[in-house]
PDB file of all heavy atoms in Angstrom:
ATOM      1  N   ALA A  39      -6.971  -5.325  11.838  1.00 44.00           N
ATOM      2  CA  ALA A  39      -7.823  -6.253  12.587  1.00 44.00           C
ATOM      3  C   ALA A  39      -6.995  -7.121  13.535  1.00 44.00           C
ATOM      4  O   ALA A  39      -6.963  -8.331  13.418  1.00 44.00           O
ATOM      5  CB  ALA A  39      -8.604  -7.116  11.607  1.00 44.00           C
ATOM      6  N   VAL A  44     -10.068 -14.190  16.777  1.00 53.00           N
ATOM      7  CA  VAL A  44     -11.247 -14.864  16.246  1.00 53.00           C
ATOM      8  C   VAL A  44     -12.178 -13.790  15.706  1.00 53.00           C
ATOM      9  O   VAL A  44     -12.765 -13.025  16.459  1.00 53.00           O
ATOM     10  CB  VAL A  44     -11.960 -15.690  17.347  1.00 53.00           C
ATOM     11  CG1 VAL A  44     -13.195 -16.343  16.773  1.00 53.00           C
ATOM     12  CG2 VAL A  44     -11.015 -16.708  17.945  1.00 53.00           C
ATOM     13  N   ALA A  45     -12.280 -13.725  14.411  1.00 51.00           N
ATOM     14  CA  ALA A  45     -13.099 -12.680  13.799  1.00 51.00           C
ATOM     15  C   ALA A  45     -14.156 -13.325  12.921  1.00 51.00           C
ATOM     16  O   ALA A  45     -13.965 -14.414  12.394  1.00 51.00           O
ATOM     17  CB  ALA A  45     -12.222 -11.754  12.971  1.00 51.00           C
ATOM     18  N   GLY A  46     -15.261 -12.634  12.752  1.00 63.00           N
ATOM     19  CA  GLY A  46     -16.332 -13.133  11.914  1.00 63.00           C
ATOM     20  C   GLY A  46     -16.011 -12.978  10.444  1.00 63.00           C
ATOM     21  O   GLY A  46     -15.000 -12.400  10.057  1.00 63.00           O
ATOM     22  N   ARG A  47     -16.884 -13.493   9.608  1.00 72.00           N
ATOM     23  CA  ARG A  47     -16.698 -13.435   8.165  1.00 72.00           C
ATOM     24  C   ARG A  47     -16.624 -11.985   7.671  1.00 72.00           C
ATOM     25  O   ARG A  47     -15.863 -11.677   6.767  1.00 72.00           O
ATOM     26  CB  ARG A  47     -17.844 -14.181   7.471  1.00 72.00           C
ATOM     27  CG  ARG A  47     -17.737 -14.218   5.987  1.00 72.00           C
ATOM     28  CD  ARG A  47     -16.641 -15.144   5.550  1.00 72.00           C
ATOM     29  NE  ARG A  47     -16.577 -15.112   4.092  1.00 72.00           N
ATOM     30  CZ  ARG A  47     -15.472 -15.228   3.425  1.00 72.00           C
ATOM     31  NH1 ARG A  47     -14.340 -15.399   4.040  1.00 72.00           N
ATOM     32  NH2 ARG A  47     -15.489 -15.202   2.115  1.00 72.00           N
ATOM     33  N   GLY A  48     -17.412 -11.100   8.274  1.00 80.00           N
ATOM     34  CA  GLY A  48     -17.388  -9.699   7.866  1.00 80.00           C
ATOM     35  C   GLY A  48     -16.027  -9.069   8.067  1.00 80.00           C
ATOM     36  O   GLY A  48     -15.564  -8.286   7.243  1.00 80.00           O
ATOM     37  N   ALA A  49     -15.371  -9.404   9.175  1.00 81.00           N
ATOM     38  CA  ALA A  49     -14.036  -8.861   9.438  1.00 81.00           C
ATOM     39  C   ALA A  49     -13.031  -9.391   8.419  1.00 81.00           C
ATOM     40  O   ALA A  49     -12.141  -8.659   7.982  1.00 81.00           O
ATOM     41  CB  ALA A  49     -13.591  -9.206  10.850  1.00 81.00           C
ATOM     42  N   CYS A  50     -13.212 -10.644   8.035  1.00 84.00           N
ATOM     43  CA  CYS A  50     -12.314 -11.241   7.036  1.00 84.00           C
ATOM     44  C   CYS A  50     -12.502 -10.548   5.690  1.00 84.00           C
ATOM     45  O   CYS A  50     -11.530 -10.208   5.018  1.00 84.00           O
ATOM     46  CB  CYS A  50     -12.598 -12.732   6.915  1.00 84.00           C
ATOM     47  SG  CYS A  50     -11.512 -13.581   5.752  1.00 84.00           S
ATOM     48  N   ASP A  51     -13.750 -10.344   5.300  1.00 86.00           N
ATOM     49  CA  ASP A  51     -14.028  -9.656   4.039  1.00 86.00           C
ATOM     50  C   ASP A  51     -13.447  -8.247   4.047  1.00 86.00           C
ATOM     51  O   ASP A  51     -12.880  -7.797   3.050  1.00 86.00           O
ATOM     52  CB  ASP A  51     -15.528  -9.590   3.779  1.00 86.00           C
ATOM     53  CG  ASP A  51     -16.128 -10.944   3.444  1.00 86.00           C
ATOM     54  OD1 ASP A  51     -15.362 -11.871   3.084  1.00 86.00           O
ATOM     55  OD2 ASP A  51     -17.357 -11.084   3.545  1.00 86.00           O
ATOM     56  N   LYS A  52     -13.586  -7.566   5.174  1.00 89.00           N
ATOM     57  CA  LYS A  52     -13.060  -6.205   5.279  1.00 89.00           C
ATOM     58  C   LYS A  52     -11.535  -6.211   5.170  1.00 89.00           C
ATOM     59  O   LYS A  52     -10.955  -5.383   4.474  1.00 89.00           O
ATOM     60  CB  LYS A  52     -13.488  -5.567   6.598  1.00 89.00           C
ATOM     61  CG  LYS A  52     -13.015  -4.137   6.740  1.00 89.00           C
ATOM     62  CD  LYS A  52     -13.493  -3.507   8.011  1.00 89.00           C
ATOM     63  CE  LYS A  52     -12.953  -2.086   8.101  1.00 89.00           C
ATOM     64  NZ  LYS A  52     -13.314  -1.429   9.334  1.00 89.00           N
ATOM     65  N   ALA A  53     -10.885  -7.159   5.859  1.00 88.00           N
ATOM     66  CA  ALA A  53      -9.424  -7.253   5.809  1.00 88.00           C
ATOM     67  C   ALA A  53      -8.949  -7.545   4.388  1.00 88.00           C
ATOM     68  O   ALA A  53      -7.954  -6.978   3.928  1.00 88.00           O
ATOM     69  CB  ALA A  53      -8.930  -8.329   6.768  1.00 88.00           C
ATOM     70  N   LEU A  54      -9.673  -8.408   3.678  1.00 89.00           N
ATOM     71  CA  LEU A  54      -9.308  -8.709   2.297  1.00 89.00           C
ATOM     72  C   LEU A  54      -9.495  -7.486   1.399  1.00 89.00           C
ATOM     73  O   LEU A  54      -8.680  -7.229   0.506  1.00 89.00           O
ATOM     74  CB  LEU A  54     -10.136  -9.880   1.772  1.00 89.00           C
ATOM     75  CG  LEU A  54      -9.763 -11.247   2.339  1.00 89.00           C
ATOM     76  CD1 LEU A  54     -10.782 -12.293   1.900  1.00 89.00           C
ATOM     77  CD2 LEU A  54      -8.365 -11.650   1.921  1.00 89.00           C
ATOM     78  N   ALA A  55     -10.552  -6.726   1.640  1.00 91.00           N
ATOM     79  CA  ALA A  55     -10.794  -5.514   0.849  1.00 91.00           C
ATOM     80  C   ALA A  55      -9.702  -4.479   1.096  1.00 91.00           C
ATOM     81  O   ALA A  55      -9.208  -3.845   0.155  1.00 91.00           O
ATOM     82  CB  ALA A  55     -12.164  -4.930   1.177  1.00 91.00           C
ATOM     83  N   VAL A  56      -9.315  -4.303   2.350  1.00 91.00           N
ATOM     84  CA  VAL A  56      -8.255  -3.338   2.691  1.00 91.00           C
ATOM     85  C   VAL A  56      -6.930  -3.786   2.068  1.00 91.00           C
ATOM     86  O   VAL A  56      -6.184  -2.972   1.519  1.00 91.00           O
ATOM     87  CB  VAL A  56      -8.141  -3.180   4.221  1.00 91.00           C
ATOM     88  CG1 VAL A  56      -6.906  -2.391   4.605  1.00 91.00           C
ATOM     89  CG2 VAL A  56      -9.387  -2.512   4.781  1.00 91.00           C
ATOM     90  N   ALA A  57      -6.649  -5.100   2.127  1.00 92.00           N
ATOM     91  CA  ALA A  57      -5.417  -5.613   1.525  1.00 92.00           C
ATOM     92  C   ALA A  57      -5.442  -5.428   0.009  1.00 92.00           C
ATOM     93  O   ALA A  57      -4.425  -5.084  -0.601  1.00 92.00           O
ATOM     94  CB  ALA A  57      -5.236  -7.082   1.878  1.00 92.00           C
ATOM     95  N   GLY A  58      -6.600  -5.635  -0.599  1.00 92.00           N
ATOM     96  CA  GLY A  58      -6.721  -5.431  -2.039  1.00 92.00           C
ATOM     97  C   GLY A  58      -6.491  -3.980  -2.426  1.00 92.00           C
ATOM     98  O   GLY A  58      -5.845  -3.688  -3.445  1.00 92.00           O
ATOM     99  N   GLN A  59      -7.003  -3.059  -1.633  1.00 94.00           N
ATOM    100  CA  GLN A  59      -6.792  -1.635  -1.901  1.00 94.00           C
ATOM    101  C   GLN A  59      -5.319  -1.270  -1.741  1.00 94.00           C
ATOM    102  O   GLN A  59      -4.772  -0.487  -2.523  1.00 94.00           O
ATOM    103  CB  GLN A  59      -7.658  -0.772  -0.975  1.00 94.00           C
ATOM    104  CG  GLN A  59      -7.541   0.710  -1.250  1.00 94.00           C
ATOM    105  CD  GLN A  59      -8.001   1.095  -2.650  1.00 94.00           C
ATOM    106  OE1 GLN A  59      -9.041   0.639  -3.108  1.00 94.00           O
ATOM    107  NE2 GLN A  59      -7.231   1.927  -3.331  1.00 94.00           N
ATOM    108  N   ALA A  60      -4.663  -1.844  -0.733  1.00 94.00           N
ATOM    109  CA  ALA A  60      -3.235  -1.580  -0.538  1.00 94.00           C
ATOM    110  C   ALA A  60      -2.431  -2.086  -1.736  1.00 94.00           C
ATOM    111  O   ALA A  60      -1.496  -1.414  -2.189  1.00 94.00           O
ATOM    112  CB  ALA A  60      -2.741  -2.238   0.748  1.00 94.00           C
ATOM    113  N   LEU A  99      -0.608  -5.789   5.333  1.00 91.00           N
ATOM    114  CA  LEU A  99      -2.053  -6.020   5.242  1.00 91.00           C
ATOM    115  C   LEU A  99      -2.373  -7.362   4.602  1.00 91.00           C
ATOM    116  O   LEU A  99      -3.361  -7.998   4.969  1.00 91.00           O
ATOM    117  CB  LEU A  99      -2.735  -4.873   4.489  1.00 91.00           C
ATOM    118  CG  LEU A  99      -2.732  -3.552   5.244  1.00 91.00           C
ATOM    119  CD1 LEU A  99      -3.285  -2.438   4.389  1.00 91.00           C
ATOM    120  CD2 LEU A  99      -3.508  -3.660   6.555  1.00 91.00           C
ATOM    121  N   ARG A 100      -1.536  -7.806   3.668  1.00 90.00           N
ATOM    122  CA  ARG A 100      -1.740  -9.149   3.101  1.00 90.00           C
ATOM    123  C   ARG A 100      -1.563 -10.211   4.165  1.00 90.00           C
ATOM    124  O   ARG A 100      -2.345 -11.163   4.251  1.00 90.00           O
ATOM    125  CB  ARG A 100      -0.731  -9.409   1.975  1.00 90.00           C
ATOM    126  CG  ARG A 100      -1.207  -9.007   0.622  1.00 90.00           C
ATOM    127  CD  ARG A 100      -0.341  -9.611  -0.462  1.00 90.00           C
ATOM    128  NE  ARG A 100       1.041  -9.775  -0.032  1.00 90.00           N
ATOM    129  CZ  ARG A 100       2.083  -9.241  -0.605  1.00 90.00           C
ATOM    130  NH1 ARG A 100       1.926  -8.509  -1.678  1.00 90.00           N
ATOM    131  NH2 ARG A 100       3.286  -9.430  -0.153  1.00 90.00           N
ATOM    132  N   GLU A 102      -1.993  -9.800   7.388  1.00 85.00           N
ATOM    133  CA  GLU A 102      -3.106  -9.667   8.324  1.00 85.00           C
ATOM    134  C   GLU A 102      -4.374 -10.325   7.759  1.00 85.00           C
ATOM    135  O   GLU A 102      -5.164 -10.877   8.502  1.00 85.00           O
ATOM    136  CB  GLU A 102      -3.401  -8.188   8.599  1.00 85.00           C
ATOM    137  CG  GLU A 102      -2.346  -7.482   9.393  1.00 85.00           C
ATOM    138  CD  GLU A 102      -2.549  -7.624  10.886  1.00 85.00           C
ATOM    139  OE1 GLU A 102      -3.690  -7.646  11.318  1.00 85.00           O
ATOM    140  OE2 GLU A 102      -1.529  -7.725  11.577  1.00 85.00           O
ATOM    141  N   ALA A 103      -4.560 -10.247   6.456  1.00 83.00           N
ATOM    142  CA  ALA A 103      -5.774 -10.769   5.821  1.00 83.00           C
ATOM    143  C   ALA A 103      -5.671 -12.263   5.541  1.00 83.00           C
ATOM    144  O   ALA A 103      -6.701 -12.914   5.326  1.00 83.00           O
ATOM    145  CB  ALA A 103      -6.036 -10.025   4.517  1.00 83.00           C
ATOM    146  N   ALA A 104      -4.461 -12.811   5.553  1.00 79.00           N
ATOM    147  CA  ALA A 104      -4.293 -14.232   5.262  1.00 79.00           C
ATOM    148  C   ALA A 104      -4.904 -15.070   6.369  1.00 79.00           C
ATOM    149  O   ALA A 104      -4.834 -14.721   7.540  1.00 79.00           O
ATOM    150  CB  ALA A 104      -2.805 -14.559   5.125  1.00 79.00           C
ATOM    151  N   PRO A 105      -5.535 -16.192   6.000  1.00 68.00           N
ATOM    152  CA  PRO A 105      -6.120 -17.043   7.034  1.00 68.00           C
ATOM    153  C   PRO A 105      -5.042 -17.628   7.938  1.00 68.00           C
ATOM    154  O   PRO A 105      -3.927 -17.903   7.494  1.00 68.00           O
ATOM    155  CB  PRO A 105      -6.829 -18.137   6.244  1.00 68.00           C
ATOM    156  CG  PRO A 105      -6.230 -18.098   4.881  1.00 68.00           C
ATOM    157  CD  PRO A 105      -5.702 -16.716   4.663  1.00 68.00           C
TER     158      PRO A 105
END
Side-chain angles (χ1 to χ4, degrees):
V44 179
R47 182 72 181 146
C50 182
D51 290 342
K52 182 178 179 183
L54 287 172
V56 170
Q59 183 62 45
L99 291 174
R100 270 195 328 239
E102 291 273 325

